[in-house]
Amino acid sequence: MALDQQTEMSRAETDALLARHETGVLSLAQGDEPYAIPISYGYDAEAQTFYLRLVSTPESEKRQFLSSSPAVRLVVSEETEPEYRSVVAKGTLKEVSTDEMTVERIEQFGDAKRPLFEIWGESKTDLRIQLYELDADDVSGRFIELDPSEYA
Amino acid sequence: MSASEEDIVFTCPECGETMVVNPAMRDALVTNGCVVCGAAVAESAFEVSDAAQE
């Protein structure tokens, strides 16, 4: 399949894509061991900051990877033929304690899609729910418009 | 938040998270839901306790 043109998205287009979606893939590493998970997020376009709730159980390996403020990438993508668009945000994930709570943070996390707690099959009181902010150092988007003649 | 003479203590009825809040944060929680789990929050989730000490 031929790739006609790959174009960098503008800041407005990038923010619009992030606003259309609420889920993406968060990736990080510890040494040479990678870790990637689907997450739901809220996004403050003005500050280029993402708000995430990450859920884990006592046995979860997630805690091991998130134990110190890790460098991460968050990928959000969409495909609307003949276009494919993706955004990659890079930054450091910072845990937010409830001791640091503010009205603004309550509002921002309120806009973030809640995790699918049903996946764990346990009550919320048995899960560990941690709040994180990803203050992105870089948010870049690209889109590719494919040649429609390539589609059967 | 530091303690004041009257603390507003929020306890989420679903996830059990507890935190001290001010009136503006209480209003934000009622409007937006529990900041930790996203559950809807009613006024009954808040308790004003007298934290003043002699």
Side-chain angles (χ1 to χ4, degrees), chain A residues 53 98-103 105-111 114-115 117 123-125 127 129-131, chain B residues 1 13-22 24-26 28-29 32-39:
Chain A
R53 294 184 181 93
T98 52
D99 291 338
E100 303 171 279
M101 203 46 59
T102 61
V103 170
R105 282 184 165 134
I106 292 171
E107 292 172 342
Q108 292 289 357
F109 279 103
D111 284 341
R114 62 181 276 286
F117 295 107
S123 71
K124 290 179 186 176
T125 52
L127 298 170
I129 308 168
Q130 292 167 278
L131 306 179
Chain B
M1 280 198 63
E14 288 208 15
C15 70
E17 182 68 38
T18 299
M19 57 181 171
V20 176
V21 300
N22 60 30
M25 292 167 67
R26 176 187 57 197
L29 287 164
N32 294 279
C34 173
V35 65
V36 173
C37 76

Side-chain angles (χ1 to χ4, degrees), chain A residues 56-128:
Chain A
S56 61
T57 61
E59 312 79 38
S60 171
E61 63 176 345
K62 190 180 291 181
R63 298 188 186 189
Q64 163 199 344
F65 285 91
L66 299 173
S67 58
S68 60
S69 299
V72 303
R73 293 192 183 199
L74 172 60
V75 179
V76 180
S77 62
E78 69 179 21
E79 182 173 348
T80 307
E81 291 180 3
E83 289 185 357
Y84 175 83
R85 292 175 180 261
S86 64
V87 171
V88 178
K90 303 175 192 176
T92 301
L93 203 62
K94 174 180 163 283
E95 184 172 2
V96 177
S97 162
T98 52
D99 291 338
E100 303 171 279
M101 203 46 59
T102 61
V103 170
E104 182 186 4
R105 282 184 165 134
I106 292 171
E107 292 172 342
Q108 292 289 357
F109 279 103
D111 284 341
K113 182 180 173 67
R114 62 181 276 286
L116 295 174
F117 295 107
E118 297 80 1
I119 289 177
W120 283 270
E122 301 174 49
S123 71
K124 290 179 186 176
T125 52
D126 294 328
L127 298 170
R128 186 176 183 198

Side-chain angles (χ1 to χ4, degrees), chain B residues 26-52:
Chain B
R26 176 187 57 197
D27 293 345
L29 287 164
V30 171
T31 299
N32 294 279
C34 173
V35 65
V36 173
C37 76
V41 169
E43 292 285 351
S44 57
F46 301 90
E47 185 177 351
V48 176
S49 64
D50 186 357

